[in-house]
Amino acid sequence: MRYPPVTLLKENNIQFIRVSMIFLLICVTTRMHFCISSVPSSLETLPVEGHFNFDEVSHAAKDFGNRYQHHPVAVLHPKSVSDIAVTIKHIWQMGPRSHLTVAAKGHGHSLQGQAQAHRGVVINMESLKGTEMQVHTGNFPYVDASGGELWINILHESLKYGLAPRSWTDYLHLTVGGTLSNAGISGQAFRHGPQISNVQQLEVVTGKGEVVNCSEEHNGELFHSVLGGLGQFGIITQARIILEPAPAMVKWIRVLYSDFTTFARDQEHLISAENTFDYIEGFVIINRTGLLNNWRSSFNPQDPVQASQFNSDGRTLYCLELAKYFNLEETNVLNQEIKNLMSHLSYIPSTLFLSEVTYLEFLDRVHVSEVKLRSKGLWEIAHPWLNLLIPKSKIHKFADEVFGNIVTETSNGPVLIYPINKSKWDNRTSIIIPEEDIFYLVAFLASAVPSSTGPDALEYILTQNKRILEFCEIAHLGVKQYLPYYTTQEEWRTHFGQQWESFQQRKSTYDPLAILAPGQRIFQKAIPFS
């Protein structure tokens, strides 16, 4: 008997393998195509009061960061919480065979595509904000608001009753669910904590499509998981927010420092004092001239002659921004209080600038800048922001290197820096913050000008951000990112540190198929946790 040559057998085997692989790829591709093409019909049959949009989805692939665009297959415009629950439950029941994921999108102010869902479903949370807000007055006032409601609308509504939330973000045109999924920080956080420390109750839709009411006493684990949880455990559909009596007016003050040590010492003194300001923030001014002249349109110098003689000479300066709330009948007492408080600070005397505005004008101050930028076509551009939380013990080392050697040119956006008291944060929530009792928020809020090749160019800013992060790592500063963004699970493990196992366990409990918030890139759907 004659056998085929060995070479012929090898060729036949190779040919067989090739044909098999091609057939397998065709099957896989066909199956994936079938799954994707069957998605619209699967969703179309769901009993929702709102509607799905399968054609106009490009807006759901954009965010404020304006750097990432991941298109969904559908956008849900819910009329009720039930619409959200029905949709998620449907995807949950489809199991791992479906690659569908779900992202909740509020006002689209995320920076790195966190509210996007590639070939998934994006829920337009602002469709829910038509739900009527309920303001409850009395000894312990609060407001019940939809997760898709904007904070600016909550402010307007609560002010009708002489009330307002205690803690804010600098920009109010953000949704409740969006900020509570992160933390919500501003100049009031040293006193009241972040927004997640000022919530009493939540309504949440989990990754299984269950609608759960939770608070510190009832379903407490879910309550604390969702707050600062980056959307990983559930979608916040309603929140009960603590209110307090609202003042009528605000004394708004800015002073400058040329020495960082003095600037930081004064900030730390103010956030630790019993009688202090209601709002304390700071920012860094790098290589800018004529700054005080720009302030004159809205701030009055205490001594116009001295202020006009001040020259920054291109130095790096540090601005302390303060606010004291008051009602008109308290003006005289307030002025004396401010005078006493300022007498303990070591700012440059000729740089004391004051303004008096309404409480509403002060809280909504960033929106004025937005309107101006929009008119110039400079709002919907790339925003490669970097937000860091830095332990107090390392802030001087950070400032020396970063403001001395890395950030040496003014970029197109502010650099915020101010301390926060850790005691005002709840360590049961999912937010990750430094270990020390006082830590600083440092935020590089740059905007990248299209076609620029200077310090406001996108690549320049991204390179600068990378250098800052590399320095923090090499110098072992114990820095944590706020609004964190990583691309691998190993990086996320490092970010969460000892809390990673707890975070992972919460995920497996409330969203075991990893359906929710795929844009955070923490977990992948249908991949077992390890």
Side-chain angles (χ1 to χ4, degrees):
M1 181 181 291
R2 296 183 62 191
Y3 294 95
V6 174
T7 53
L8 182 60
L9 284 171
K10 285 184 177 179
E11 287 178 6
N12 286 340
N13 286 339
I14 291 170
Q15 188 65 26
F16 175 76
I17 291 169
R18 282 177 178 167
V19 172
S20 298
M21 289 297 292
I22 291 170
F23 180 73
L24 181 63
L25 285 169
I26 290 171
C27 288
V28 170
T29 305
T30 302
R31 185 177 176 185
M32 285 181 66
H33 177 72
F34 174 76
C35 288
I36 293 169
S37 62
S38 66
V39 165
S41 59
S42 168
L43 296 173
E44 280 175 340
T45 60
L46 293 181
V48 296
E49 297 176 65
H51 69 280
F52 285 95
N53 198 320
F54 302 100
D55 301 316
E56 297 176 10
V57 298
S58 58
H59 66 282
K62 290 184 66 179
D63 62 17
F64 183 70
N66 211 22
R67 292 178 54 218
Y68 297 88
Q69 291 198 16
H70 302 291
H71 286 75
V73 294
V75 176
L76 171 64
H77 300 269
K79 274 193 176 179
S80 66
V81 174
S82 174
D83 287 355
I84 297 172
V86 164
T87 301
I88 295 176
K89 190 167 188 177
H90 170 72
I91 295 171
W92 156 253
Q93 290 174 338
M94 291 174 76
R97 65 187 176 86
S98 163
H99 287 76
L100 278 180
T101 55
V102 176
K105 184 174 188 287
H107 209 51
H109 212 75
S110 57
L111 299 171
Q112 316 263 13
Q114 289 96 332
Q116 299 174 21
H118 180 59
R119 291 185 176 178
V121 177
V122 169
I123 299 176
N124 178 12
M125 296 300 293
E126 288 193 282
S127 294
L128 280 180
K129 71 180 180 184
T131 307
E132 189 175 347
M133 274 181 275
Q134 296 289 333
V135 175
H136 297 259
T137 59
N139 293 332
F140 304 100
Y142 62 85
V143 58
D144 287 327
S146 161
E149 192 61 78
L150 297 180
W151 285 97
I152 183 64
N153 295 337
I154 291 174
L155 177 60
H156 283 299
E157 184 65 21
S158 59
L159 283 176
K160 294 175 184 176
Y161 302 84
L163 300 167
R166 302 189 300 198
S167 188
W168 298 97
T169 52
D170 287 332
Y171 179 64
L172 303 189
H173 296 252
L174 305 172
T175 57
V176 168
T179 65
L180 295 183
S181 295
N182 289 284
I185 307 174
S186 185
Q188 303 88 358
F190 78 93
R191 169 174 282 171
H192 297 297
Q195 290 180 320
I196 58 174
S197 293
N198 293 274
V199 179
Q200 291 179 327
Q201 187 174 303
L202 297 171
E203 179 186 70
V204 174
V205 181
T206 70
K208 298 177 185 178
E210 300 167 336
V211 181
V212 183
N213 286 304
C214 54
S215 65
E216 207 167 291
E217 299 80 19
H218 182 62
N219 294 316
E221 182 66 22
L222 177 60
F223 179 73
H224 293 116
S225 298
V226 169
L227 293 172
L230 304 175
Q232 293 299 304
F233 314 112
I235 294 174
I236 297 171
T237 50
Q238 191 171 70
R240 178 164 291 177
I241 300 153
I242 298 170
L243 301 177
E244 68 176 2
M249 302 296 292
V250 175
K251 284 279 189 182
W252 188 5
I253 300 165
R254 284 179 177 173
V255 291
L256 292 178
Y257 294 75
S258 58
D259 174 65
F260 181 79
T261 299
T262 308
F263 167 71
R265 185 187 65 223
D266 278 1
Q267 280 194 315
E268 290 166 17
H269 161 72
L270 287 173
I271 71 160
S272 302
E274 277 193 35
N275 180 30
T276 188
F277 290 92
D278 298 295
Y279 162 99
I280 300 169
E281 284 195 13
F283 55 92
V284 187
I285 302 157
I286 300 166
N287 196 21
R288 285 178 64 181
T289 57
L291 181 76
L292 299 191
N293 287 330
N294 292 335
W295 286 357
R296 288 174 193 276
S297 59
S298 52
F299 289 84
N300 298 317
Q302 190 177 48
D303 187 333
V305 176
Q306 284 195 53
S308 65
Q309 293 173 350
F310 175 79
N311 192 335
S312 65
D313 295 323
R315 290 173 292 170
T316 296
L317 298 170
Y318 306 94
C319 176
L320 180 57
E321 186 170 47
L322 308 164
K324 191 78 171 168
Y325 306 155
F326 70 104
N327 293 310
L328 290 174
E329 64 273 15
E330 304 164 337
T331 302
N332 291 335
V333 174
L334 177 92
N335 288 337
Q336 188 57 49
E337 274 188 29
I338 290 175
K339 187 175 180 180
N340 291 339
L341 287 169
M342 298 303 291
S343 69
H344 293 96
L345 305 181
S346 302
Y347 57 91
I348 302 169
S350 61
T351 64
L352 175 55
F353 276 67
L354 304 97
S355 181
E356 193 172 296
V357 296
T358 66
Y359 185 58
L360 176 60
E361 286 174 319
F362 174 72
L363 290 179
D364 200 28
R365 62 197 178 280
V366 177
H367 185 58
V368 176
S369 299
E370 177 191 351
V371 171
K372 290 178 182 176
L373 290 170
R374 282 190 182 278
S375 68
K376 298 176 182 178
L378 294 174
W379 184 255
E380 294 185 2
I381 58 179
H383 296 95
W385 288 6
L386 177 64
N387 296 271
L388 304 174
L389 303 175
I390 302 171
K392 169 190 165 182
S393 66
K394 301 296 170 61
I395 194 64
H396 295 278
K397 189 172 184 179
F398 177 89
D400 286 346
E401 176 62 22
V402 174
F403 304 134
N405 297 318
I406 298 177
V407 183
T408 56
E409 294 286 341
T410 300
S411 63
N412 194 29
V415 178
L416 304 182
I417 179 167
Y418 56 91
I420 301 168
N421 291 314
K422 186 180 180 180
S423 62
K424 304 299 182 180
W425 296 60
D426 191 329
N427 60 12
R428 294 171 294 179
T429 65
S430 293
I431 186 71
I432 299 299
I433 58 178
E435 297 293 332
E436 297 184 7
D437 291 340
I438 293 176
F439 58 90
Y440 277 76
L441 170 73
V442 182
F444 300 89
L445 308 182
S447 300
V449 177
S451 73
S452 172
T453 57
D456 52 8
L458 178 60
E459 287 307 315
Y460 185 99
I461 298 167
L462 290 174
T463 300
Q464 183 173 272
N465 288 349
K466 185 180 178 183
R467 287 182 63 195
I468 294 169
L469 290 172
E470 286 174 347
F471 165 70
C472 291
E473 186 175 352
I474 293 168
H476 304 290
L477 300 187
V479 169
K480 293 297 181 182
Q481 284 193 36
Y482 176 58
L483 310 177
Y485 174 77
Y486 302 101
T487 56
T488 68
Q489 196 173 86
E490 192 54 43
E491 290 174 315
W492 281 109
R493 283 175 183 266
T494 302
H495 171 76
F496 283 101
Q498 294 180 342
Q499 291 173 258
W500 169 251
E501 286 188 12
S502 171
F503 192 85
Q504 191 180 38
Q505 180 58 47
R506 287 173 166 181
K507 184 69 171 178
S508 65
T509 300
Y510 301 115
D511 183 26
L513 289 184
I515 290 169
L516 302 176
Q520 295 284 3
R521 298 171 179 81
I522 304 175
F523 302 102
Q524 284 186 301
K525 188 176 181 185
I527 292 180
F529 305 123
S530 58

